[in-house]
Amino acid sequence: MLFFCLSGAIISCTQGPIKTSPTKPETVKASEKGAKQLSARQLYKLAANYQAEPQQYHLLKAAKQAIAEQDYLLALAIVENLKASPYALIRQQSVLPRLQAYLATHQQQSLTQLIDTTDINTVASVDRTEFLWLSSQYFSQQQRHLSAVRSLLQLERQTDAINTYPDYADLLWQNLSALTDSQLESLRTGAQGNAVSWLNLALLSRRFIGQPEALQQAFYNWLHQNNDFPALKNMPEAVQKLVTLKPYQPKRIAVLLPLEGQFRQHAQAVQYGILAAATTNTATSIVFIDSQQPIEVIQQQVTQAQVDFVIGPLLKDQVDNISLIENWRWPTLFLNSKDNNIAAKPEQFYFALSMEDEAAQMARLFAQKNYKHPAIISSANNISLRMQQSFAANWQSLGHSAPNLYQFNNKDELEQLINRLLETDRSKERIKQISNLIPQKLESDPHSRLDIDAIYLIADPVQTRLFKPFVDVSLSETAPKLPIFASSRSHSTSLDSTDLRDLNGLIFTEIPWMLGEKSSAPLRQQYQQLFAEQDEALQRLFAMGYDAYQLIGSLRQQQQLPSTVFSGLTGQLRLNNNGSIVRQLSWANYRNNRLRTVQEP
């Protein structure tokens, strides 16, 4: 009979350690009762006295004892042998020890493959709860929140998770909070029992965020409908605080924008977004102030307007100037990033459409997929190069060596870069040399290099439409398919059918607003009627303005509860400890000549 005890084994991941729960080996057979408990290495030697299934059974006992003794290398060696066992029972009972050994010895690639490909029904029934718990912890630390939630909800069906794992509710809520609205809705399909209760709670918590009375009423209604919910006695602390915290509820807001000059058009796009978000809130009034004026004049006008909250400015230098004012007494959501040399202040928040957020998100994805040698290709302009450097910095912070970085200026350089990158030019040269030596006609195809396992392209839509098909035709037929990823800079809403065909297979990050996700469909329809031909850059600023207004009501909760995520038009928005909003964008790809959103690439 198998049972578990807590071990000190840890794995160092992105957010913290995962504690493995090693299995205590089964008691020895009756003839050995009373004898001294054998060590893992003694059990390992003892297995040599047996053959076939009995031998593997004793090896399995040795592996479990090795995990209990924290002799993880011995455990790893044994379970690697047992995973191909011809005996189904041995394979089933070796899955959990294999997971524990992988976690303790940091076998990232093997670990991901095991968790992603294991059907829980193929795990020994007594091990399933612990397998799901360790899997969900790993997913959470890898920021694979959807997978973590799926594992946790599956765990709750296996056992009394709330009592068995005291941290269950907090871990589940942390990951539920990080999901997009569309991911929550996808989980509702086919959900039953407690899963439905959790998902409904997550949805109402974000639907009424910033509306304390409505949120409390919705929460009390939920409690009444779920009075037999097992988690009620151990409700996540974040949920309790979310209901009781008083949010910002300004009656009068000042918006600082460059209403005159070369940035007037950008300011108007943000202004339209703010006004669109404010249409349902008649209790709040808004006053717009030109941020192109001297700081002293702006401060005077804000004071005279008797506001209790400020949005803006939009321009970086103006943000920095106001951030340095000691007597700036209004809670403020700036619409740009903060200078790293400026100290964070409790009631000053920074919201920017930072392209570096996309690059960091892509680096995390590559790490999760266990890519080892990605190629990062960027057009040679300032924004793209910043993204390239951001990817490299985040990639190395995750424990990887510096990635290969490439830049290009024009189409010819791009073509040369691809040939040089894939080394098809060298292959063609070798074919040419051999053809000159052999009189007969030589039939051959150029071969491309195989060590690059992914490409991250940071380029505009035109450059991307040139790049993707050129890589496809440059790869040799014998080479594995090379995954190509891109940023929102590659996406355009004005693609025709030919463009879509050329981009099939491309995966990229994009804000929900530009993907027309269901949650924003009614607003998008209204927007199209008013601004049918608006530039895409201005559409993004409209979404930013809309989110800026909506964010006001959630800032205090996000400041107190780091797991709180605001689901906006510009992405999943989280507040870090420096007062900056960090965005998690949606994923999309081109498949079968169509644009599709995807939950996890």
Side-chain angles (χ1 to χ4, degrees):
M1 182 178 183
L2 302 176
F3 61 100
F4 304 91
C5 62
L6 186 65
S7 155
I10 61 173
I11 176 173
S12 178
C13 290
T14 55
Q15 295 178 350
I18 293 179
K19 296 182 180 179
T20 65
S21 299
T23 53
K24 184 175 177 181
E26 298 178 86
T27 53
V28 293
K29 57 187 180 181
S31 62
E32 296 172 341
K33 283 183 180 178
K36 183 180 178 182
Q37 174 69 55
L38 298 178
S39 71
R41 293 187 179 268
Q42 288 173 323
L43 287 168
Y44 179 71
K45 291 179 181 178
L46 183 63
N49 298 328
Y50 299 86
Q51 298 292 327
E53 188 172 10
Q55 182 184 65
Q56 296 200 357
Y57 169 74
H58 281 78
L59 285 172
L60 181 60
K61 290 208 302 183
K64 293 175 181 177
Q65 181 62 30
I67 290 172
E69 295 172 4
Q70 300 183 25
D71 190 350
Y72 298 118
L73 291 179
L74 174 61
L76 179 64
I78 296 173
V79 295
E80 280 294 316
N81 241 331
L82 296 179
K83 71 181 181 182
S85 171
Y87 308 106
L89 217 56
I90 296 294
R91 290 198 304 274
Q92 286 181 350
Q93 294 184 29
S94 68
V95 175
L96 178 61
R98 187 146 51 101
L99 174 62
Q100 293 167 319
Y102 287 164
L103 284 169
T105 56
H106 315 289
Q107 305 297 313
Q108 291 295 113
Q109 187 168 356
S110 299
L111 182 59
T112 301
Q113 183 178 12
L114 174 65
I115 294 178
D116 286 345
T117 60
T118 298
D119 182 343
I120 194 62
N121 294 317
T122 64
V123 180
S125 57
V126 72
D127 294 341
R128 290 173 187 170
T129 59
E130 186 71 4
F131 183 90
L132 288 167
W133 176 244
L134 293 176
S135 298
S136 60
Q137 286 183 299
Y138 175 73
F139 285 138
S140 181
Q141 293 184 346
Q142 293 294 307
Q143 298 187 37
R144 295 178 57 183
H145 303 293
L146 183 60
S147 295
V149 169
R150 284 173 174 157
S151 290
L152 288 164
L153 293 179
Q154 195 172 14
L155 170 61
E156 192 163 4
R157 295 198 299 269
Q158 297 284 334
T159 184
D160 183 9
I162 298 295
N163 295 322
T164 307
Y165 303 101
D167 296 333
Y168 173 86
D170 287 318
L171 186 64
L172 176 59
W173 187 256
Q174 173 189 330
N175 285 282
L176 280 171
S177 299
L179 297 183
T180 65
D181 288 349
S182 60
Q183 286 174 327
L184 282 175
E185 289 296 343
S186 72
L187 288 170
R188 285 166 60 89
T189 304
Q192 297 178 348
N194 294 336
V196 176
S197 299
W198 279 116
L199 295 172
N200 286 341
L201 181 59
L203 285 167
L204 74 85
S205 72
R206 59 183 62 183
R207 184 175 298 133
F208 298 107
I209 195 167
Q211 306 173 52
E213 294 83 6
L215 179 60
Q216 287 179 8
Q217 185 59 53
F219 182 65
Y220 293 143
N221 292 341
W222 180 89
L223 288 174
H224 179 72
Q225 295 166 5
N226 298 273
N227 53 18
D228 58 346
F229 188 49
L232 289 181
K233 296 179 181 178
N234 192 22
M235 188 62 67
E237 183 181 359
V239 175
Q240 301 174 40
K241 286 185 176 180
L242 190 67
V243 176
T244 57
L245 273 175
K246 186 177 180 181
Y248 288 117
Q249 293 179 291
K251 299 298 183 186
R252 194 165 173 81
I253 299 172
V255 180
L256 313 181
L257 293 171
L259 301 176
E260 300 294 337
Q262 62 176 322
F263 298 105
R264 183 169 179 268
Q265 196 175 19
H266 302 82
Q268 283 182 336
V270 175
Q271 186 178 26
Y272 295 151
I274 291 173
L275 291 172
T279 53
T280 57
N281 187 2
T282 56
T284 301
S285 60
I286 301 174
V287 54
F288 291 94
I289 297 174
D290 185 8
S291 63
Q292 300 288 57
Q293 305 175 92
I295 292 294
E296 299 78 10
V297 175
I298 293 173
Q299 194 168 5
Q300 182 182 11
Q301 290 182 1
V302 172
T303 302
Q304 291 173 347
Q306 298 183 333
V307 304
D308 40 15
F309 198 95
V310 175
I311 297 175
L314 178 65
L315 304 183
K316 183 71 168 63
D317 59 334
Q318 296 172 358
V319 168
D320 291 341
N321 289 338
I322 290 180
S323 296
L324 292 170
I325 297 176
E326 291 296 330
N327 62 340
W328 187 264
R329 58 186 176 83
W330 301 275
T332 303
L333 177 60
F334 296 103
L335 298 180
N336 213 314
S337 56
K338 179 176 74 69
D339 189 295
N340 292 331
N341 296 319
I342 297 177
K345 296 179 182 177
E347 292 197 306
Q348 292 188 358
F349 311 94
Y350 298 83
F351 177 33
L353 298 184
S354 169
M355 302 302 291
E356 285 84 353
D357 287 347
E358 292 193 55
Q361 182 176 339
M362 192 64 72
R364 291 193 299 271
L365 177 74
F366 279 25
Q368 291 164 12
K369 288 184 167 293
N370 289 307
Y371 294 141
K372 302 299 182 185
H373 305 289
I376 318 305
I377 301 174
S378 162
S379 58
N381 60 63
N382 184 49
I383 293 178
S384 297
L385 292 175
R386 274 172 37 208
M387 291 182 68
Q388 190 182 61
Q389 292 301 320
S390 176
F391 179 97
N394 281 275
W395 180 249
Q396 290 175 270
S397 73
L398 294 170
H400 299 276
S401 57
N404 296 316
L405 305 180
Y406 304 89
Q407 298 88 31
F408 65 91
N409 284 290
N410 52 51
K411 178 183 176 182
D412 291 339
E413 285 189 15
L414 179 59
E415 185 174 334
Q416 293 169 14
L417 190 155
I418 294 171
N419 276 322
R420 189 171 71 252
L421 174 67
L422 300 178
E423 295 185 354
T424 50
D425 54 347
R426 295 186 184 181
S427 180
K428 290 175 182 177
E429 182 61 30
R430 287 193 293 269
I431 293 170
K432 182 179 179 181
Q433 291 173 358
I434 296 172
S435 298
N436 292 335
L437 296 173
I438 300 175
Q440 295 86 2
K441 184 179 180 181
L442 182 67
E443 292 186 6
S444 59
D445 291 317
H447 282 255
S448 50
R449 63 189 287 190
L450 301 177
D451 58 326
I452 294 175
D453 47 14
I455 290 177
Y456 182 29
L457 175 66
I458 307 171
D460 65 32
V462 174
Q463 293 164 336
T464 303
R465 292 198 291 274
L466 290 171
F467 178 89
K468 177 64 171 59
F470 196 77
V471 171
D472 292 341
V473 300
S474 298
L475 284 170
S476 62
E477 293 183 3
T478 57
K481 188 174 182 181
L482 187 61
I484 301 176
F485 299 83
S487 72
S488 62
R489 292 181 62 77
S490 292
H491 176 233
S492 172
T493 56
S494 58
L495 298 176
D496 60 27
S497 58
T498 302
D499 297 329
L500 293 172
R501 184 179 65 246
D502 288 343
L503 294 174
N504 276 334
L506 183 73
I507 301 169
F508 63 98
T509 46
E510 182 57 284
I511 64 173
W513 176 244
M514 300 303 291
L515 294 174
E517 293 189 3
K518 287 183 180 179
S519 57
S520 62
L523 179 63
R524 167 59 75 175
Q525 188 175 9
Q526 297 173 23
Y527 179 86
Q528 288 296 109
Q529 293 174 353
L530 295 173
F531 311 106
E533 303 299 325
Q534 193 170 53
D535 177 83
E536 291 183 9
L538 299 182
Q539 293 185 43
R540 297 176 193 279
L541 288 172
F542 172 89
M544 181 190 192
Y546 191 94
D547 280 355
Y549 184 87
Q550 299 281 23
L551 266 170
I552 294 173
S554 71
L555 288 172
R556 191 161 276 163
Q557 279 87 346
Q558 290 183 290
Q559 193 173 45
Q560 297 296 320
L561 307 168
S563 65
T564 303
V565 176
F566 178 84
S567 185
L569 301 183
T570 57
Q572 297 296 106
L573 309 179
R574 187 190 307 275
L575 187 68
N576 69 15
N577 55 10
N578 288 324
S580 296
I581 300 292
V582 180
R583 297 183 303 144
Q584 176 87 8
L585 277 69
S586 296
W587 294 102
N589 68 4
Y590 295 102
R591 184 179 176 188
N592 297 329
N593 305 337
R594 291 181 60 191
L595 171 65
R596 301 168 183 264
T597 56
V598 292
Q599 302 297 349
E600 285 186 345

